Amino acid sequence: MPMDAREIEAMIREALPDAKIEIRDLAGDGDHYAATVLSSSFKGKSRVQQHQMVYGALQGRMGGVLHALALTTGVPQD
């Protein structure tokens, strides 16, 4: 069963409460998403570490329930 974008956002928000999150369904099938996640928690972390934090928030659903997630991460510029 595909994941809903709101479910993905809720899981990321639970792990990164301050995150600004934008999720787009790339194929309209609930399996292929692009996400932009900006969080102050990423400060001082490499891009790989940032992505690992987001994948960790998804609790093992990547590659299974969630087939593909194109991920862009960064620290907010406020």
Side-chain angles (χ1 to χ4, degrees):
M1 171 176 219
M3 280 186 81
D4 183 80
R6 292 173 299 216
E7 182 181 1
I8 296 167
E9 182 174 350
M11 293 179 81
I12 295 170
R13 189 159 315 285
E14 184 175 327
L16 303 164
D18 75 320
K20 295 178 184 174
I21 304 165
E22 178 188 328
I23 300 191
R24 297 171 311 284
D25 188 340
L26 297 175
D29 60 3
D31 279 335
H32 299 82
Y33 290 99
T36 300
V37 181
L38 303 177
S39 172
S40 59
S41 301
F42 295 150
K43 188 172 184 167
K45 305 261 193 283
S46 71
R47 187 79 58 204
V48 169
Q49 290 170 319
Q50 293 173 19
H51 287 207
Q52 288 172 334
M53 290 171 71
V54 174
Y55 293 143
L58 296 173
Q59 303 171 3
R61 287 176 174 83
M62 274 305 303
V65 176
L66 180 57
H67 179 72
L69 179 66
L71 194 53
T72 303
T73 58
V75 177
Q77 301 296 314
D78 339 86

